[in-house]
């Protein structure tokens, strides 16, 4: 009978432990949701309040896609929020579930100020297919994006799967502003 009682007590402790873990997860999820909202609204004071309250939400906490507040703010081009997150210790090298960093998001949105800010904090661009990115920008005649890519390490001579460069593509398509 004693072993039955201790097993029952153990089950009660396990249940209590599970309940506490679920409560803590819920608090963290609620804080992350509030921080996402504050980030979207550019409410730096609210972001700082959430980061410093007792939930101890880490500035590098990601959502279900491992996208952090820095990813989301960089994607929106919100320079003030990006700066505040960097001051709070946000990691410029964090990757979401697709391997993208906040700098990738800033470049995708052509957010020049955010790109410069992240770069100044050590962020670097690395693409699986840098030529594809550069050729895509060339095909769209997007000189700003081409400058950003080249300025952050993508070689202007990068070749795609057929050995074509952005210059080849622009010349063949008659995209004169790229040539």
């Amino acid at each position: 009978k004693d072993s039955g009682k201790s097993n029952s007590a153990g089950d009660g402790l396990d249940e209590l432990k599970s309940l506490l873990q679920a409560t803590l997860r819920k608090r963290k999820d609620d804080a992350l949701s509030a921080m996402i909202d504050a980030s979207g609204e550019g409410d730096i004071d609210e972001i700082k309040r959430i980061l410093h309250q007792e939930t101890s939400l880490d500035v590098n906490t990601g959502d279900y896609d491992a996208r952090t507040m820095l990813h989301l703010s960089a994607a929106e081009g919100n320079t003030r929020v990006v700066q505040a997150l960097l001051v709070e210790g946000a990691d410029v090298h964090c990757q979401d579930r697709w391997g993208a960093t906040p700098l990738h998001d800033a470049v995708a949105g052509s957010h020049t100020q955010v790109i410069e800010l992240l770069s100044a904090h050590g962020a670097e661009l690395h693409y699986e297919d840098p030529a594809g990115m550069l050729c895509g920008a060339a095909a769209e005649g997007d000189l700003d994006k081409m400058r950003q890519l080249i300025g952050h390490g993508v070689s202007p001579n990068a070749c795609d799967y057929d050995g074509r460069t952005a210059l080849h593509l622009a010349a063949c398509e008659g995209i004169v502003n790229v040539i």
Side-chain angles (χ1 to χ4, degrees):
K1 274 191 167 179
D2 286 342
S3 64
K5 287 182 182 179
S6 62
N7 191 18
S8 177
D11 289 345
L13 286 175
D14 288 343
E15 186 177 321
L16 180 59
K17 183 178 175 182
S18 293
L19 181 61
L20 285 172
Q21 287 173 336
T23 301
L24 290 174
R25 269 193 310 275
K26 172 93 169 87
R27 287 179 92 188
K28 184 178 174 183
D29 290 346
D30 289 347
L32 181 59
S33 179
M35 202 156 105
I36 288 170
D37 292 343
S39 176
E41 295 167 8
D43 190 343
I44 294 169
D45 291 334
E46 180 67 4
I47 291 169
K48 288 179 181 180
R49 187 193 68 73
I50 293 167
L51 286 173
H52 297 284
Q53 72 182 12
E54 61 188 74
T55 58
S56 299
L57 185 66
D58 185 282
V59 70
N60 295 306
T61 300
D63 63 10
Y64 52 87
D65 286 326
R67 293 181 56 74
T68 66
M69 291 306 98
L70 192 57
H71 280 100
L72 300 173
S73 299
E76 292 293 322
N78 195 327
T79 307
R80 288 181 54 239
V81 173
V82 168
Q83 177 64 43
L85 292 170
L86 291 171
V87 167
E88 293 294 329
D91 180 7
V92 297
H93 305 291
C94 59
Q95 296 183 349
D96 63 18
R97 75 177 186 155
W98 299 283
T101 65
L103 184 56
H104 287 110
D105 292 328
V107 168
S110 297
H111 302 301
T112 304
Q113 289 180 322
V114 173
I115 293 167
E116 291 171 5
L117 182 58
L118 292 170
S119 295
H121 282 83
E124 299 175 348
L125 278 181
H126 299 284
Y127 288 105
E128 277 188 38
D129 181 19
M133 295 298 297
L134 197 58
C135 287
E140 295 170 4
D142 191 342
L143 291 176
D144 289 335
K145 185 168 285 182
M146 290 181 69
R147 284 186 191 103
Q148 290 166 351
L149 291 167
I150 292 168
H152 289 88
V154 175
S155 170
N157 298 316
C159 297
D160 69 5
Y161 58 90
D162 281 334
R164 297 173 299 189
T165 65
L167 179 59
H168 286 121
L169 179 71
C172 289
E173 297 295 322
I175 305 171
V176 179
N177 66 328
V178 171
I179 299 171

